[in-house]
Amino acid sequence: MMSLSRRVRTLPLLLLTLVITGVIVRAQVKPGRDPNQQIDQEYTNKIREYTTAPYFNSPLTDYLPASPNVPTPKAVLGDVSGSPGKLPYAEDVYKYMRMLERATPRVKVFSIGTSEEGREMIAVAVASEKLLEKLDENKARLTKLADPRTINMDDAEADRLVAASFPIYYITGTIHSPETGSPTALMELAYRLAVDESAYVKNIRESVVTLITPVVEVDGRNRMVDVYNWHLAHPNENWPSLIYWGHYVAHDNNRDAIGLSLKLTRNVLNTYLAWKPQVLHDLHESVPYLYDNTVGDGPYNAWVDPILTDEWQMIGWNNVSEMTKFGMPGVFAHGNFDTWSPGYLMFIAATHNGISRLYETFGNGGADTLERTLSPSEYQRTWYRQNPPLPKAKWSQRNNNNYQQTALLTSLQYFGSNSKLFLKNFYLKSKRSIEKPKNEGPAAYVLPGDDVRGGNQAELLRTLQAQGVEISRATAPFTVAVKKKDGGGAKPSASPTPAASPSPAAKSEDRTFPAGSYIVRMDQPYSRIADALLDYQYWAPNDPQTDIYDDTSWTMGELANVEVVRVVDTKALQAPMERVTGDVRSAGGVTNAGAVYLINHNADNALVTLRYRLKDVEMEAAEEPFEAAGRKFTRGSFIIKKVSSDDLKRVANELGIQVYAVANAPSVKTHPVRAARIAVMHTWLGTQDEGWYRIGLDQLGVPFAYISTQDVSKDANLKSKYDVILFAPVGRGASAIINGLPMYGNPIPWKNTPLTPNLVGGLDETDDMRPGLGWSGLQNLQKFVSDGGLFITVDDTSDFAVNYGFTAGVSVSRSQRLRAVGVILRTKTVDASSPIAYGYGDSLAMYCSNGPIFGLNNGVGGRGPRAQQRGTGRGSPDDPDTPQGRPPTEIPEPPAKVEIWEAPPVTDEQRRNAVGLIPPSLRPRVVVRYADSKDLFVSGLLDGGDEIAQHAAVIDVPSGNGHVLLFSTNPFWRGQTKGSYFLVFNAIMNFDNLNAGRKLDQK
């Protein structure tokens, strides 16, 4: 909640905003039914029966108009929308929408793609016959407004286009599968918009096209309906939690608008880019009773146009005002949701010159009618929630549907009545995006043509292209002024500063970029999304917003481990360049001739695809740098001696990998690079974060088995099946991994049955979700490592590995002061000769979210030696004390300084009886550490960074014949961190040679 002084400052600005930007609003059409149109009395009676109190409905939804030709949702549901005990599958929703399409010319249905499991996604357009007949010509006009360059930035021509055009309002529902009310609300909304002849709805239908995707996460929707049906069939039993939503991730499917990893995101994005809607409005469920959180709280995203933030206020507060007049309690805006991250689905509109909107409506996680008791924080009155929810009320899915439809109709009416204003704003935001170079800047972003990671660079650029961003390529070298490097960026202190001062103007220097460099010009309509993704983020540690909703950073160049240069100098726009017309691809192929093939290891992710694409081909890794064919090759470079040249050439071309043929193999020590057998292990507690690992592996063509902790508990010979077990973050604590869910009550199955045909979806199944890894599973995992396997753990699963005895010599603690909230931190390579570090330089930016803090020791049990301060006595701090009455004695030399990431050296006392002393070959090997405090921060929010600075970030711990790999950072996160993927891939491909290059302590 913001402070009182902040509220006082904000409210006058808000009122001024509404006065200035409200312009002229046409007289509002009063809500209420057309007395000349019959109502469907049976349906209307059911609406009133299922609504638990009159104030949970409005004049817009307390009746249903009748039609002799158009079926109501009852035709598919068997009852009204929002009826108790009924959740339709996605296919039922689609069936109804297509029934509408066949019954009335006011509805058209479009297929917009499929899910990972092959289910269809649709978009339903509802408007008057006249508007739908003119969709194509209107789309042509909107395309010109979306790209003012096509009309030479002519405001007068834009006004003519606005006058002739009608807007598109795009609504999406049920991206979050346990939020179950939107599909039936949208079924009924589509019917109302098509059939209702009241002046209120008719005005909407004749002024705006409402575009509806009723189910975004279709795989998860069908699983949720299965779970609910299981609950209905077993009324006195505990039911399964929705362990899987989509095929890969759960709640984080609404954080994918940056990385674009999921099909649902790309399908909605492509629909947005094709239709050019002015609004993208995503429907969710959580707080009572309806929260319009697009008004939100600060800080707002720093890259959106201020026109947009005014529009949020206009539409959002109007929504609250109108529903309050209807007497509906619990409708509010503002709240504490910071509108900072561009990762949300709705933010596709915000970063593409539209209007992003989101509702949170109260739901019961199914269609049961329940008595709900709220917490004081939910029902207390605040300045932004003057008519709060009731402390206790009976809540139904019909109530939910009433609120969603009323809010949407109110917004559509306001939007339709002010359509020319919002269309003109749509044009102005597009125009202002094109004018960025001469206004706020920058002029461009440049990705140098000589970047050593051409594959990762191309992948980043393809992500931008998918966002609709234009990419150009320099045809000759060019020189521009760039920010002078000063050895680091912003340096947040360990504690918040009381006041911030404006930063001095950055110093610049000239830099020449080679031909082939990629240029992302900012004088284009979608410059804002490119600017937001490529720039750095800074969240002040003393920002008044302390309830941070999500990640604070996402700087894509850093996370991809490729160089991206922000250029303010407008001369960059005059550089010789050509527009890239197809997908950006890195160059690949075989150069020269010879029987031996060399591939430089640059940590491009395509290298792991090559290894598995040619899984039967023997490959070796060089353990030291070498030179051949007139080029320098790094540690880890691939040496291939026996392969079909045609196969290698084909794969290298497809993947964009440069291969160099030579006559003889270089004289360098090597070891095999394996196409290791991988298992991804999951719990039945949560599968959210491991889904990002699965999708990363799948996208790169890396095969893996998918096993559960229950499988591991029953298999004492894991090494016979797998070389590597990857255990991604779980988020439930080490003991929960062992114990699983409480064993109270009934078994909880997750299996396909006639009642639940959609649960498994090619993933995993169990007769009972409750058992965890157990002690037998723990022993089996330890045996797997001892037998020569590699166990990879990340964040809280690293806690698990340390706390349950996998990693002798490593301790772990959690921070007390550190605030690293979805932040990007600088790490430094400690041991470049470790195979895990192959292809990397001396530093790497990595994602961190208050990861574990590792400590090292060379012994097991007890504490290692600690640095001793001199005692009180004579002399200065550097002098020895001198006991009186005896000759001075020689003081032993103090031990060498130990760095924070290092284990203290072994002492003579420890060696005297070395029971707990770890043999040198089994001591933890730090591969990567966090940077020094002054260099640690890269992007986002970092406070108290000195608590984790210099600590080990990636540790390779030998154990028996195998290894345990510990990450304090998270190398696979939301499809954004592709620059750190290869730390994992290196470990996988070198699983049985991780000791390569190791220098053993002689003690």
Side-chain angles (χ1 to χ4, degrees):
M1 185 182 297
M2 64 166 64
S3 66
L4 177 61
S5 61
R6 189 176 173 197
R7 296 203 304 267
V8 171
R9 289 196 306 271
T10 301
L11 286 172
L13 290 173
L14 172 59
L15 294 173
L16 181 62
T17 296
L18 295 175
V19 170
I20 293 173
T21 61
V23 217
I24 300 173
V25 180
R26 284 166 28 197
Q28 292 288 315
V29 181
K30 291 184 179 180
R33 59 176 291 259
D34 177 4
N36 297 317
Q37 184 178 24
Q38 289 187 341
I39 64 171
D40 185 322
Q41 192 62 59
E42 180 186 4
Y43 198 106
T44 299
N45 290 343
K46 285 291 186 180
I47 290 174
R48 294 169 181 170
E49 176 185 345
Y50 298 148
T51 300
T52 61
Y55 42 76
F56 291 147
N57 211 337
S58 75
L60 297 176
T61 55
D62 64 0
Y63 70 96
L64 193 79
S67 169
N69 303 314
V70 182
T72 70
K74 184 181 177 183
V76 168
L77 300 177
D79 205 338
V80 306
S81 286
S83 56
K86 290 189 180 294
L87 289 184
Y89 288 107
E91 292 81 3
D92 297 325
V93 179
Y94 299 170
K95 177 181 178 181
Y96 177 70
M97 294 301 193
R98 289 190 163 108
M99 290 172 66
L100 286 181
E101 181 182 36
R102 289 191 295 270
T104 172
R106 295 174 178 175
V107 177
K108 289 186 180 295
V109 179
F110 302 86
S111 185
I112 64 171
T114 58
S115 70
E116 280 78 8
E117 295 176 12
R119 294 184 177 91
E120 185 187 23
M121 290 177 63
I122 66 170
V124 183
V126 189
S128 69
E129 299 94 317
K130 181 179 178 181
L131 295 191
L132 290 186
E133 288 172 357
K134 297 180 178 179
L135 275 179
D136 290 340
E137 61 183 78
N138 188 69
K139 187 181 293 186
R141 290 189 295 267
L142 293 181
T143 299
K144 292 179 179 179
L145 293 174
D147 186 355
R149 297 172 301 180
T150 61
I151 57 171
N152 298 315
M153 313 282 275
D154 186 338
D155 291 351
E157 176 62 19
D159 288 340
R160 287 190 288 272
L161 291 168
V162 166
S165 301
F166 48 86
I168 313 292
Y169 195 110
Y170 188 16
I171 303 167
T172 54
T174 317
I175 187 173
H176 283 166
S177 304
E179 301 166 11
T180 56
S182 295
T184 51
L186 292 171
M187 291 167 70
E188 190 173 287
L189 178 69
Y191 175 89
R192 291 181 187 279
L193 290 172
V195 168
D196 200 328
E197 295 298 335
S198 69
Y200 196 94
V201 176
K202 190 174 181 181
N203 180 60
I204 297 171
R205 187 167 60 239
E206 294 181 348
S207 60
V208 59
V209 172
T210 304
L211 190 65
I212 301 170
T213 293
V215 183
V216 173
E217 177 51 274
V218 288
D219 298 333
R221 170 66 181 190
N222 283 7
R223 288 192 180 94
M224 183 63 204
V225 176
D226 278 1
V227 167
Y228 184 68
N229 288 342
W230 193 96
H231 156 65
L232 293 179
H234 302 80
N236 299 316
E237 297 185 23
N238 298 324
W239 61 88
S241 64
L242 197 64
I243 188 72
Y244 296 102
W245 298 13
H247 191 77
Y248 291 110
V249 297
H251 189 272
D252 271 10
N253 60 8
N254 194 35
R255 303 296 185 271
D256 189 46
I258 297 172
L260 305 183
S261 297
L262 303 175
K263 286 189 175 183
L264 66 84
T265 314
R266 291 198 175 231
N267 292 340
V268 171
L269 172 61
N270 291 339
T271 303
Y272 183 91
L273 294 176
W275 281 76
K276 304 292 190 295
Q278 285 61 62
V279 179
L280 176 54
H281 192 151
D282 199 25
L283 303 180
H284 289 253
E285 295 177 14
S286 61
V287 298
Y289 292 129
L290 189 135
Y291 171 30
D292 186 331
N293 79 351
T294 35
V295 173
D297 196 2
Y300 281 177
N301 181 276
W303 295 267
V304 298
D305 194 310
I307 293 175
L308 169 62
T309 63
D310 291 345
E311 290 170 321
W312 286 340
Q313 305 286 346
M314 292 167 64
I315 304 175
W317 289 112
N318 176 77
N319 220 163
V320 174
S321 174
E322 293 302 308
M323 293 183 72
T324 301
K325 292 173 189 176
F326 292 149
M328 302 178 80
V331 180
F332 65 102
H334 184 71
N336 60 4
F337 169 76
D338 65 78
T339 312
W340 175 249
S341 170
Y344 311 110
L345 187 75
M346 65 162 178
F347 233 74
I348 288 171
T351 54
H352 292 80
N353 304 320
I355 303 170
S356 57
R357 301 204 65 211
L358 190 148
Y359 287 156
E360 296 279 6
T361 311
F362 204 35
N364 289 338
D368 291 356
T369 300
L370 302 170
E371 188 85 19
R372 299 295 297 274
T373 301
L374 307 184
S375 65
S377 65
E378 292 176 307
Y379 65 72
Q380 287 174 350
R381 185 171 60 85
T382 68
W383 73 265
Y384 57 82
R385 190 172 57 203
Q386 288 292 317
N387 184 14
L390 306 179
K392 178 182 286 190
K394 182 179 287 188
W395 190 257
S396 66
Q397 183 155 267
R398 182 66 220 183
N399 294 357
N400 168 287
N401 281 199
N402 292 339
Y403 268 74
Q404 290 202 59
Q405 289 185 77
T406 298
L408 287 168
L409 288 167
T410 300
S411 290
L412 288 165
Q413 163 66 21
Y414 182 77
F415 191 79
S417 296
N418 294 277
S419 61
K420 303 308 177 186
L421 166 67
F422 292 115
L423 281 168
K424 183 61 179 290
N425 283 355
F426 179 65
Y427 161 76
L428 289 174
K429 287 180 288 186
S430 301
K431 180 181 178 182
R432 285 154 63 104
S433 294
I434 295 167
E435 293 173 336
K436 274 179 72 68
K438 69 179 184 181
N439 289 329
E440 69 269 28
Y445 287 88
V446 179
L447 286 75
D450 55 0
D451 196 302
V452 298
R453 295 177 185 88
N456 283 7
Q457 182 189 73
E459 174 68 17
L460 171 57
L461 289 167
R462 287 196 297 274
T463 301
L464 292 177
Q465 286 180 309
Q467 295 276 8
V469 175
E470 300 166 1
I471 309 296
S472 299
R473 196 170 194 187
T475 57
F478 63 97
T479 302
V480 292
V482 300
K483 182 180 178 181
K484 190 173 184 178
K485 292 183 178 180
D486 59 2
K491 305 293 192 300
S493 60
S495 53
T497 50
S501 301
S503 301
K507 295 180 180 180
S508 65
E509 60 185 1
D510 283 349
R511 176 170 174 180
T512 299
F513 292 94
S517 295
Y518 290 98
I519 302 169
V520 184
R521 302 174 64 105
M522 290 292 102
D523 57 348
Q524 60 172 298
Y526 297 148
S527 61
R528 293 194 188 281
I529 182 62
D531 196 14
L533 297 188
L534 298 178
D535 206 353
Y536 289 79
Q537 294 77 48
Y538 179 73
W539 185 303
N542 61 348
D543 190 280
Q545 176 63 273
T546 58
D547 189 10
I548 301 170
Y549 199 79
D550 203 71
D551 289 347
T552 60
S553 62
W554 51 84
T555 306
M556 293 296 282
E558 292 283 2
L559 291 175
N561 196 23
V562 298
E563 186 179 11
V564 177
V565 182
R566 186 177 190 266
V567 179
V568 177
D569 187 353
T570 55
K571 286 195 302 182
L573 302 178
Q574 279 74 57
M577 69 182 80
E578 293 177 346
R579 173 90 172 269
V580 177
T581 55
D583 287 347
V584 175
R585 297 287 176 188
S586 56
V590 178
T591 302
N592 302 329
V596 177
Y597 300 94
L598 310 177
I599 302 174
N600 186 51
H601 197 324
N602 59 1
D604 260 348
N605 291 325
L607 293 178
V608 75
T609 306
L610 175 118
R611 172 63 281 199
Y612 279 90
R613 193 82 67 85
L614 301 174
K615 60 184 178 61
D616 296 323
V617 174
E618 292 183 1
M619 301 184 187
E620 295 180 329
E623 295 187 5
E624 294 294 337
F626 64 91
E627 293 188 18
R631 307 184 65 88
K632 294 182 178 179
F633 291 82
T634 63
R635 283 189 184 92
S637 292
F638 291 6
I639 301 171
I640 309 172
K641 298 176 183 177
K642 295 178 181 180
V643 65
S644 163
S645 59
D646 289 341
D647 288 347
L648 181 60
K649 183 177 181 179
R650 173 180 50 80
V651 173
N653 276 316
E654 289 175 3
L655 300 178
I657 294 173
Q658 291 283 0
V659 181
Y660 301 92
V662 294
N664 300 301
S667 298
V668 64
K669 187 177 180 181
T670 65
H671 64 256
V673 179
R674 310 286 192 191
R677 302 167 301 166
I678 305 168
V680 174
M681 183 174 72
H682 72 91
T683 70
W684 289 101
L685 302 168
T687 61
Q688 165 78 354
D689 291 344
E690 55 91 358
W692 294 115
Y693 285 75
R694 287 191 286 116
I695 195 170
L697 295 171
D698 280 345
Q699 287 175 341
L700 290 165
V702 179
F704 61 91
Y706 190 50
I707 63 175
S708 75
T709 50
Q710 293 180 2
D711 297 324
V712 170
S713 72
K714 302 168 188 173
D715 192 341
N717 196 18
L718 292 164
K719 184 62 181 68
S720 67
K721 300 183 183 73
Y722 316 116
D723 302 310
V724 179
I725 295 178
L726 173 57
F727 195 19
V730 175
R732 294 297 183 89
S735 62
I737 293 169
I738 296 290
N739 297 327
L741 295 167
M743 295 298 291
Y744 312 132
N746 54 279
I748 303 176
W750 187 272
K751 299 187 76 170
N752 281 358
T753 68
L755 181 64
T756 58
N758 304 287
L759 288 185
V760 175
L763 294 167
D764 204 358
E765 64 180 15
T766 180
D767 292 322
D768 189 356
M769 296 170 63
R770 296 174 301 164
L773 178 68
W775 300 113
S776 63
L778 180 65
Q779 291 175 331
N780 292 341
L781 272 179
Q782 290 172 336
K783 181 177 183 294
F784 164 78
V785 175
S786 180
D787 288 347
L790 169 62
F791 185 36
I792 301 176
T793 63
V794 181
D795 200 321
D796 63 342
T797 60
S798 292
D799 283 0
F800 162 79
V802 172
N803 288 324
Y804 282 98
F806 285 85
T807 55
V810 180
S811 61
V812 66
S813 62
R814 283 287 172 175
S815 60
Q816 302 300 310
R817 296 178 293 102
L818 175 69
R819 282 200 303 159
V821 185
V823 69
I824 304 172
L825 301 180
R826 183 74 58 200
T827 64
K828 305 291 286 184
T829 302
V830 174
D831 191 343
S833 63
S834 166
I836 295 164
Y838 286 168
Y840 286 98
D842 64 353
S843 72
L844 175 67
M846 294 191 72
Y847 174 88
C848 178
S849 188
N850 272 46
I853 300 174
F854 295 133
L856 269 74
N857 203 317
N858 287 324
V860 176
R863 296 180 177 178
R866 293 186 171 188
Q868 298 290 322
Q869 302 291 330
R870 68 150 288 183
T872 302
R874 65 148 299 278
S876 70
D878 297 326
D879 289 330
D881 188 28
T882 305
Q884 302 300 302
R886 74 182 197 198
T889 57
E890 183 177 351
I891 304 297
E893 285 292 321
K897 179 185 177 183
V898 178
E899 301 289 358
I900 291 174
W901 65 89
E902 295 177 330
V906 176
T907 67
D908 291 340
E909 288 297 308
Q910 284 178 300
R911 289 199 304 274
R912 189 167 60 87
N913 185 16
V915 174
L917 189 61
I918 303 171
S921 62
L922 296 179
R923 291 173 189 170
R925 183 183 189 183
V926 176
V927 181
V928 176
R929 67 171 176 89
Y930 289 102
D932 299 355
S933 291
K934 65 182 179 62
D935 300 319
L936 183 62
F937 174 78
V938 175
S939 190
L941 167 63
L942 176 64
D943 194 16
D946 58 313
E947 191 175 10
I948 203 169
Q950 297 185 294
H951 280 270
V954 182
I955 308 176
D956 170 22
V957 185
S959 180
N961 293 316
H963 291 255
V964 179
L965 184 59
L966 305 173
F967 281 91
S968 170
T969 56
N970 190 344
F972 279 64
W973 181 246
R974 294 179 176 174
Q976 300 171 25
T977 59
K978 293 178 179 176
S980 55
Y981 281 11
F982 229 98
L983 292 171
V984 175
F985 295 146
N986 273 333
I988 289 171
M989 293 190 298
N990 298 277
F991 78 94
D992 56 348
N993 282 283
L994 290 178
N995 288 327
R998 178 167 189 159
K999 296 177 176 61
L1000 297 180
D1001 187 340
Q1002 295 305 309
K1003 294 185 179 181

